[in-house]
Amino acid sequence: MSTEVVEPTTDQALLGDESVWTGRIFSDGWTDAPATIEVTEPATGEVIGSAGLGDPETVARAASSAARAQRDWAAAPATERVAVVRRAAELLERHRAELIRWLVRESGSIPPKADNEISASIGQFEMAASLISHPLGHVLPSLTPGRTSMARRVPVGVVGVICPWNFPVVLPARSVGPALALGNAVVLKSDPNTPVSGGVLTARIFEEAGLPDGVLHVICGGAEVGQALVEDPNVRMISFTGSTATGRKVGEGAGRNLKRVVLEMGGNSPLVVLEDADVEAASSAGAWGSFLHQGQICLAASRHLVHESIVAEYLEALVERAGRLPVGNPDTDEVALGPIINQKQVERVQGIVDRSVSQGATALTGGTHEGLFYSPTVLGDVTPSMPAFTDELFGPVAPVTSFRDDADAVELANATDYGLAAAVQSGSEQRAAAVAEQLRAGMVHINDQTVNEEPPAPFGGFGASSNGGHFGGVANLELWTEWQWVTSRPKAEPFPF
Ligand code: NAD
């Protein structure tokens, strides 16, 4: 794994030129924001910018402008809309180095994670552009002679997109790209932890790509701004990515306002290691699944369920791997783990670890932090009642629980309200498939780990991880459009009345 820090090239204008966005939001061009927020580098605590912060009034103005702009945008030829999204993909590629640097500094990503995130975002835009080649409806048989009857998909209108900070470029991209390509306007609310990589850069990309004014608004803000988006009458749909607790509030508000809502929320994903698994490969999958991006991934391997006959060997291998992973500033040092996003998150992770240890778990390595730098942690002897088993971790912690047989493994894996991802490792693909078949998760991977995403695949979870919507591929056609029945007759005919 290369962890080389990529410097932006100097032969091109900077996408994130501060003079454009400092103290501003993107709403019908760059306009002065009612407040500002410091952009902080978690690894050093250094303030690296001052972004604009929105408020409920800003949201109301943006949503009203978006509703006006959406009508012309939906009426524009599909080729025109798709050309903008394609150019956005090209711009991501052209400015890749600069985008990576922002992700490294602002979100604490290591460069390979950031690089991968930009590739994933390009994939999302390319996938969105390909939607143009899919049929948007059906010609229906009609019961009325001479009548043409069609079912067609039409854009939803203005979509409010709310995203967290952990993958601040690709999470907006997977909503904004297809929503725009299919004729919607978007108001994106970025997270206050990542105003630049989570908002400013997406705004700049679409500005440079030639998106007409008013079709995309980008406003940074917290709960109050998010809630304003959920309540706004001009916003017809909410796409929310974040924690299950917030998702419930967003879902309630959207329901009260009769809005379509897609909620992609937390996870507590199991990695099941059967007794015939290759322990080296499985422990490497486990380390990747739990420690990548400091474990701050919804899909992270949150529970390692390992057959009792190999659990000692597995723990030894995992501890050894954890010990090899350097932690530090990803902008200046070659590290495998960067900082946790903020102090509150560190304390949350430490609380889960401490309470689990006090209930009998064993911290075989890690379990401590220096500032925001949390050591890769392996917890042995974890039982289903401990917080490390029941709660979403969102930190670099691998809790390991042993099981007796395949049926026991399935029961443990499903002993959660969440249902985002799951993975099974076995020497026999067939046997792993038989276990995988019984796992209640929206994304299941055999002889792999839990952190996977591909633009053509439907991304979504079951249970408390999702309200049933899916991002990606042809699932996008359904998500960002709704049915309309259209009939037509050559001329109007009289009725009996
Ligand atoms: P969070 O729920 O606290 O915040 C998510 C977003 O919601 C932020 O933009 C935040 O400002 C906004 N928000 C907060 N309160 C709100 C309210 N009352 N109304 C409207 N918006 C509000 O989540 P977080 O802790 O920042 O992010 C981590 C969580 O996100 C984890 O649970 C993780 O699993 C989840 N996540 C899920 C996916 C997925 O695709 N399933 C992807 C990434 C992260």
Side-chain angles (χ1 to χ4, degrees), residues 17-305:
D17 181 351
E18 278 181 53
S19 66
V20 174
W21 55 265
T22 295
R24 301 199 179 111
I25 54 166
F26 186 71
S27 188
D28 291 303
W30 291 97
T31 56
D32 286 341
T36 57
I37 182 165
E38 286 182 346
V39 184
T40 310
E41 180 178 44
T44 59
E46 191 188 325
V47 175
I48 54 175
S50 171
L53 198 62
D55 62 9
E57 288 74 47
T58 331
V59 170
R61 273 198 301 278
S64 153
S65 155
R68 285 192 301 277
Q70 191 264 333
R71 288 191 279 274
D72 287 345
W73 179 243
T79 45
E80 214 172 279
R81 295 198 303 266
V82 158
V84 168
V85 177
R86 281 215 179 97
R87 278 200 294 276
E90 287 161 17
L91 286 160
L92 282 175
E93 189 59 73
R94 191 178 317 155
H95 295 281
R96 183 185 279 268
E98 186 191 345
L99 288 154
I100 289 174
R101 186 89 198 283
W102 272 111
L103 281 170
V104 167
R105 294 201 72 192
E106 193 188 31
S107 78
S109 302
I110 58 168
K113 177 268 185 189
D115 187 48
N116 191 275
E117 182 169 353
I118 302 308
S119 298
S121 309
I122 293 169
Q124 289 295 339
F125 287 167
E126 283 171 351
M127 199 66 216
S130 77
L131 292 172
I132 195 176
S133 58
H134 289 272
L136 283 176
H138 308 292
V139 177
L140 306 171
S142 174
L143 304 185
T144 310
R147 174 149 90 172
T148 305
S149 178
M150 289 180 300
R152 62 171 190 157
R153 306 289 308 189
V154 295
V156 180
V158 178
V159 180
V161 177
I162 301 175
C163 287
W165 42 265
N166 62 331
F167 281 79
V169 176
V170 72
L171 295 176
R174 73 180 181 181
S175 287
V176 174
L180 292 179
L182 291 166
N184 301 282
V186 173
V187 181
L188 165 66
K189 188 204 82 64
S190 58
D191 190 284
N193 287 293
T194 47
V196 180
S197 50
V200 165
L201 297 177
T202 296
R204 290 282 300 118
I205 290 270
F206 279 99
E207 188 184 21
E208 292 287 305
L211 185 71
D213 267 359
V215 181
L216 173 67
H217 302 253
V218 180
I219 302 172
C220 181
E224 194 195 21
V225 172
Q227 211 54 50
L229 206 49
V230 173
E231 299 289 337
D232 193 283
N234 282 308
V235 175
R236 294 306 316 144
M237 171 177 171
I238 295 289
S239 167
F240 170 83
T241 304
S243 65
T244 298
T246 307
R248 282 186 206 281
K249 290 185 206 155
V250 169
E252 276 169 26
R256 201 170 47 248
N257 287 282
L258 308 179
K259 288 181 193 189
R260 176 186 281 218
V261 60
V262 54
L263 304 168
E264 289 302 338
M265 300 173 283
N268 188 357
S269 302
L271 167 65
V272 179
V273 184
L274 302 182
E275 72 214 79
D276 61 352
D278 171 343
V279 171
E280 273 309 298
S283 62
S284 137
W288 182 261
S290 281
F291 303 141
L292 180 65
H293 199 36
Q294 299 79 265
Q296 302 170 118
I297 305 183
C298 56
L299 301 164
S302 308
R303 290 172 298 141
H304 300 224
L305 309 176

